[in-house]
Amino acid sequence: MSQSPNCVTTPPWWQLVNWIADPIGFQKKYSQKYGDIFSIRLTGIGPFVIIGNPQAIQEIFSKDSQFHIGRANKLAEPLIGKNSLMLMDGDYHRRERKLLTPPFHGEKIQAYAQKIIDVTEEIANRWQIGESFIVRSTMQKVSLEIILQVVFGLSEGKRYKQIKPLLTDWLDMTDSPLRSSMLFFKFLQKDWGKWTPWGRMKQIHNKIYNLLQAEIEEKRTKIDNTGKDILSLMMAVRDEDGQAMSDAELKDELITILFAGHETTATTLSWAFYEIYRNPDVIEKLQREFYCLGENPSPMEIAKLPYLTAVCQETLRMYPVIPVTFPRIAKSPIKIAGYQFDAETTFMPSIYLVHYQEDLYPEPEQFKPQRFLERQYSPSEFFPFGGGSRRCLGYALALLEMKLVLATVISKYQLALAEDKPVKIQRRGFTLAPTGGVKVVMKGKS
Ligand code: HEM
């Protein structure tokens, strides 16, 4: 074996342009040329080792304490604030994860299930027969409403009305490869007032933070505010020293959850609808499964359905909206996959490359939910939510939301793709979305 993996040799500025414009094409091209481990160099961001090999990824996930991960996420700091879990490392990260994990698991998540169904029905009820609409924008409305109600605890009132359009504007600021560039190029991060993209983003950001501060202060004055939403749970939680989260932490974490959870779930749902409506046998199987549950099944019965689960897994396999995990920077010299790497080497496990490996997923370009019913995949063979100490905090909520939104729409509304042309992948901020957002037409109600 050679001393170090092959290195992409095109100029680093050109690699950066390609990485921003077409991260999938870029990874595909060089993995075909160099195999499943290779190095890239992105101007202004740094060199990275892309890893598309499950054994090497398992090594990385099991050695997560040997990497700086928060530091490697620095690029996102202007968006999510310096107190964000995503930017923390070591003991700070462990403490914050411990504080944030309970509201996102088990019984707590189940309590939000009915809200997810209600929000979906409320939005879907506005669809008219014969009307066409863009699934991604609709799913963004669904997912934003769910985050507002379930996480922020906001469903009505003046503050809700003020914050909703601000959050939508803020999230839309990186809705194309060009607009996403400001996340990658420092020189575009200049605040010259509201007429510059960065200045406008900062301005919206400040308004959101002021509204969140007001919400936290109001919640604090309420006598019984336990357990109704994730923010209240976050405010009630204490660390081993009896310390609560500070207001600055609470605000940065709320924005982190919105940033990490809104676009990802909405976009994955758009991909799911795209594949479901392209494959009549998939809709048929789903409808049969829903029918077998009888009338008014409980949300948790829906969430346990095996074929629905497999459809969600196959969507997450084919369309990992975050195509690489967070970067991992080696704290000291480290051996991975038999190669010796220096301290400060930055690794990027590629979800996309692994999810398209022929030996794991025969005919990887085909949407085949069945494969998940026939085979169990290990945490480094199927990892749309990343892994190790950084595995997505909101994965249980995301999966529940996907299943309940799909089940509600498919069992009650008849939709069809409005256009015959294949949909391509386009960058939106740090995620990969369908170009055009997937247009569908409403055919009827069941
Ligand atoms: C389909 C939807 C989603 C996908 C595909 C997704 C994917 C990911 C991935 C790949 C990571 C990085 C993990 C790593 O580097 O090992 C991550 C981290 C994270 N996700 Fe998600 N996510 C989704 C939904 C959500 C939701 C709904 C929330 C919150 C409500 C959320 C909150 C987070 C947070 C806070 C982190 C950072 C964890 C840490 O640094 O410890 N995500 N997610």
Side-chain angles (χ1 to χ4, degrees):
M1 179 171 286
S2 64
Q3 282 302 93
S4 52
N6 280 313
C7 189
V8 175
T9 50
T10 50
W13 65 268
W14 183 239
Q15 292 184 45
L16 178 65
V17 169
N18 280 295
W19 182 257
I20 296 172
D22 182 14
I24 294 298
F26 182 90
Q27 290 189 64
K28 240 183 187 169
K29 179 172 166 186
Y30 290 109
S31 64
Q32 276 160 10
K33 191 164 176 189
Y34 296 129
D36 56 16
I37 302 184
F38 58 92
S39 300
I40 63 170
R41 194 171 278 276
L42 308 178
T43 296
I45 305 180
F48 294 96
V49 180
I50 303 282
I51 311 262
N53 171 302
Q55 288 74 36
I57 290 169
Q58 197 207 332
E59 272 185 72
I60 291 179
F61 285 162
S62 66
K63 292 176 181 167
D64 252 358
S65 62
Q66 298 181 36
F67 299 103
H68 298 288
I69 305 175
R71 204 182 104 202
N73 277 336
K74 212 64 188 141
L75 212 58
E77 185 177 323
L79 292 177
I80 55 181
K82 63 178 189 318
N83 301 293
S84 164
L85 167 81
M86 268 170 59
L87 304 180
M88 292 178 184
D89 272 314
D91 287 345
Y92 291 105
H93 179 257
R94 256 189 303 280
R95 169 191 179 265
E96 198 78 355
R97 252 313 294 194
K98 230 171 159 180
L99 291 175
L100 286 172
T101 298
F104 283 97
H105 282 94
E107 275 168 45
K108 293 288 185 307
I109 289 290
Q110 293 182 21
Y112 313 135
Q114 194 53 49
K115 261 202 174 123
I116 295 175
I117 295 178
D118 294 346
V119 165
T120 312
E121 279 182 352
E122 207 211 302
I123 291 176
N125 269 333
R126 296 181 211 146
W127 301 336
Q128 301 293 324
I129 295 178
E131 184 196 4
S132 57
F133 57 90
I134 303 295
V135 177
R136 200 185 44 71
S137 333
T138 310
M139 286 307 122
Q140 271 194 299
K141 285 188 196 137
V142 171
S143 139
L144 180 61
E145 198 61 48
I146 291 170
I147 291 191
L148 278 171
Q149 294 198 20
V150 165
V151 180
F152 293 24
L154 283 169
S155 59
E156 54 195 10
K158 193 170 153 208
R159 201 167 296 133
Y160 164 78
K161 288 203 180 98
Q162 285 174 314
I163 205 164
K164 208 170 144 177
L166 285 170
L167 291 174
T168 312
D169 281 359
W170 184 68
L171 291 160
D172 278 348
M173 301 236 38
T174 53
D175 64 358
S176 70
L178 191 64
R179 279 148 72 101
S180 307
S181 303
M182 69 175 159
L183 302 175
F184 297 90
F185 295 111
K186 272 259 169 279
F187 70 89
L188 292 176
Q189 298 178 3
K190 294 274 179 298
D191 183 357
W192 286 318
K194 66 179 176 183
W195 304 112
T196 52
W198 196 254
R200 182 159 160 64
M201 182 128 124
K202 283 293 217 200
Q203 205 178 48
I204 298 177
H205 194 261
N206 291 345
K207 283 188 189 163
I208 295 173
Y209 267 57
N210 290 340
L211 288 165
L212 290 180
Q213 182 64 40
E215 183 62 22
I216 292 169
E217 281 164 18
E218 191 184 314
K219 276 198 186 335
R220 208 165 265 138
T221 61
K222 291 192 180 148
I223 299 162
D224 176 26
N225 190 38
T226 44
K228 295 199 182 69
D229 52 68
I230 290 180
L231 172 58
S232 305
L233 293 171
M234 281 159 60
M235 289 172 68
V237 90
R238 297 289 178 270
D239 67 10
E240 283 145 9
D241 304 323
Q243 287 292 316
M245 289 169 78
S246 68
D247 287 3
E249 258 176 297
L250 287 168
K251 283 181 284 185
D252 283 351
E253 295 305 14
L254 283 175
I255 287 297
T256 300
I257 290 165
L258 174 78
F259 171 77
H262 167 263
E263 188 85 12
T264 44
T265 315
T267 302
T268 310
L269 272 166
S270 338
W271 285 120
F273 280 113
Y274 172 60
E275 285 296 343
I276 289 169
Y277 290 117
R278 273 176 96 195
N279 291 283
D281 61 310
V282 175
I283 311 180
E284 217 174 279
K285 281 188 191 144
L286 282 173
Q287 281 170 338
R288 215 175 308 140
E289 208 178 44
F290 300 149
Y291 180 77
C292 289
L293 279 184
E295 265 185 45
N296 301 323
S298 77
M300 294 332 282
E301 279 177 296
I302 299 173
K304 285 191 190 124
L305 290 173
Y307 192 70
L308 174 64
T309 305
V311 166
C312 294
Q313 287 169 316
E314 180 66 344
T315 306
L316 287 157
R317 177 195 72 80
M318 264 183 97
Y319 303 103
V321 291
I322 303 182
V324 288
T325 70
F326 294 159
R328 270 94 170 143
I329 306 175
K331 290 181 182 168
S332 48
I334 194 165
K335 208 169 180 181
I336 301 284
Y339 294 113
Q340 186 62 46
F341 294 97
D342 293 338
E344 294 296 307
T345 302
T346 308
F347 299 92
M348 267 206 278
S350 171
I351 304 174
Y352 172 81
L353 287 180
V354 174
H355 284 190
Y356 276 76
Q357 275 190 11
E358 285 265 5
D359 55 337
L360 292 173
Y361 302 99
E363 297 185 286
E365 308 284 341
Q366 300 293 317
F367 187 75
K368 290 183 168 179
Q370 198 66 23
R371 60 174 110 241
F372 282 94
L373 299 173
E374 289 164 359
R375 180 173 168 174
Q376 287 259 333
Y377 292 95
S378 78
S380 57
E381 292 172 342
F382 176 64
F383 55 107
F385 297 106
S389 64
R390 294 285 169 159
R391 187 178 184 202
C392 174
L393 181 77
Y395 82 93
L397 180 61
L399 279 174
L400 184 68
E401 184 174 330
M402 283 180 70
K403 290 176 187 176
L404 296 180
V405 171
L406 290 175
T408 308
V409 172
I410 291 166
S411 57
K412 297 198 173 152
Y413 305 87
Q414 290 143 23
L415 304 179
L417 291 179
E419 295 166 335
D420 207 10
K421 53 181 192 209
V423 166
K424 291 207 185 101
I425 294 176
Q426 183 192 34
R427 182 187 281 283
R428 265 183 71 95
F430 291 107
T431 66
L432 299 182
T435 31
V438 184
K439 197 170 182 187
V440 293
V441 59
M442 165 90 152
K443 297 276 190 187
K445 291 187 185 185
S446 306

